[in-house]
Amino acid sequence: MTTSSNTKTSVLPTGGGAALMDPSDAAILLLDHQSGLFQTVKDIPVADLRRNVEMVARLATLLNIPVITTASEPTGSNGPLMPEIHELAPHAVYVPRKGEVNAWDNGDFVETVKATGRKTLIMAGVWTSVCVMFPALDAVAAGYEVYAVVDASGDPSEMASRTSLARFVQGGVKPTSTNALLSELHRTWARPEAAELAKLYGLAAPNYAAVMESFQKAQAVAKASA
């Protein structure tokens, strides 16, 4: 299912945004970012993974995008959810599951997603090949437009990650990255949250933080010399 550009509030008169996400139609689903599962992730450094998830949570708060979190068995070996998500996105709604591996098998989870009224779902989780893959494919089958944030997700191997990407594409799920997600929802610097959004680029692309620091230093020197 692809959202019609005619229904997107983010499409400009030029046609810009017709193929991009509409923030007003988006919900973010953060699936099984659990401390035990983090220890099995091998396709991305865990520090990078956690930083990217933090960026997504901050972005959701800044742009007032609904967030739903869930865990299959947080009291078991998979461990609890990383606390930063709910700290940085205090509006996030946690949906407990009864052991279902696939979040879309849980009726409460599906009803919580429906209750957002949003038809564009942005998903990330651990493992990518299971905890993101299964609900993402089911959500597509249910009529949602689904994006998978690959670097805010993690898998046990590079092979699992590559296989996940192939199956996403075959199943109609659109892979994206934290940096692309931030830019796609940001769209323009001519907005009141621009300064706060700029800080998030330092999380999505750490080297960009050095660019901003250099720019700020140059501005300070120029101001002092004036």
Side-chain angles (χ1 to χ4, degrees):
M1 176 260 185
T2 301
T3 303
S4 169
S5 61
N6 294 329
T7 64
K8 291 186 177 182
T9 62
S10 56
V11 178
L12 301 179
T14 62
L20 303 181
M21 298 180 205
D22 180 355
S24 68
D25 184 52
I28 294 173
L29 313 184
L30 299 178
L31 313 165
D32 302 295
H33 287 99
Q34 297 170 254
S35 59
L37 289 176
F38 280 143
Q39 297 175 51
T40 70
V41 171
K42 301 300 181 183
D43 64 324
I44 181 174
V46 172
D48 293 347
L49 169 58
R50 294 184 75 118
R51 186 184 64 247
N52 290 337
V53 176
E54 289 178 19
M55 193 287 292
V56 173
R58 290 179 186 273
L59 179 64
T61 298
L62 192 58
L63 299 185
N64 196 29
I65 296 173
V67 177
I68 300 171
T69 66
T70 187
S72 59
E73 189 53 66
T75 60
S77 59
N78 287 355
L81 286 175
M82 58 180 284
E84 296 93 330
I85 296 174
H86 282 265
E87 290 170 2
L88 298 172
H91 66 296
V93 176
Y94 173 73
V95 180
R97 307 207 303 276
K98 302 177 180 67
E100 301 95 341
V101 173
N102 177 4
W104 213 262
D105 286 347
N106 183 280
D108 292 337
F109 180 81
V110 174
E111 288 304 313
T112 303
V113 172
K114 290 180 179 177
T116 67
R118 309 293 179 96
K119 296 295 288 183
T120 301
L121 304 182
I122 301 164
M123 296 189 185
V126 180
W127 294 327
T128 316
S129 55
V130 177
C131 303
V132 182
M133 180 70 69
F134 298 168
L137 293 175
D138 278 341
V140 169
Y144 291 88
E145 184 172 24
V146 181
Y147 293 81
V149 189
V150 178
D151 60 351
S153 307
D155 250 333
S157 69
E158 290 285 349
M159 176 62 75
S161 182
R162 291 195 297 271
T163 303
S164 298
L165 283 173
R167 194 172 178 196
F168 279 145
V169 173
Q170 290 171 347
V173 178
K174 302 175 181 180
T176 190
S177 66
T178 51
N179 190 60
L181 176 67
L182 171 56
S183 298
E184 191 163 344
L185 296 179
H186 171 189
R187 291 287 297 280
T188 176
W189 290 106
R191 57 186 303 161
E193 312 93 344
E196 293 303 312
L197 286 164
K199 296 176 184 177
L200 298 187
Y201 282 98
L203 292 174
N207 290 347
Y208 190 74
V211 174
M212 291 190 293
E213 289 166 3
S214 298
F215 175 70
Q216 291 165 355
K217 179 63 175 179
Q219 279 190 318
V221 171
K223 185 177 181 179
S225 303

